Amino acid sequence: MESTVHFDTDDPEFSRGFEIGILWERLSSDGACHMAVSAANAEMVLRVAKAFDCAFSGQELADDMISVELYRVSTDS
């Protein structure tokens, strides 16, 4: 994940958590999200989709990245 602010750690787990945090916030505030995440986060994307009752799709991109699109199908979560 490339960002405009460089993290003070190179730990891939930090980057994974940051990606999921962004995804979570976008679903919380907008009810939908379309973004690229590391392929290592695929399981967490599925868990977040389930937690928010989302329909989702994904597409493999280059460099171990996936493009994910999630839409809340219920506002009860």
Side-chain angles (χ1 to χ4, degrees), residues 3 7 14 21 36 43 48 52 62:
S3 67
F7 300 134
F14 178 83
E43 177 64 29
V48 170
F52 278 92

Side-chain angles (χ1 to χ4, degrees), residues 2-23:
E2 189 173 327
S3 67
T4 56
V5 176
H6 295 282
F7 300 134
D8 63 353
T9 180
D10 292 332
D11 186 346
E13 294 304 306
F14 178 83
S15 295
R16 284 185 42 188
F18 190 83
E19 285 177 350
I20 293 302
I22 292 170
L23 180 69

Side-chain angles (χ1 to χ4, degrees), residues 25-73:
E25 175 55 31
R26 289 180 181 171
L27 288 172
S28 294
S29 62
D30 300 335
C33 181
H34 182 207
M35 64 184 279
V37 298
S38 63
N41 255 335
E43 177 64 29
M44 287 304 299
V45 170
L46 294 173
R47 292 178 184 199
V48 170
K50 184 176 180 179
F52 278 92
D53 194 19
C54 286
F56 67 93
S57 64
Q59 181 176 358
E60 189 175 346
L61 302 173
D63 300 324
D64 292 324
M65 298 293 287
I66 54 176
S67 173
V68 296
E69 198 163 358
L70 295 89
Y71 296 97
R72 291 180 84 175
V73 293

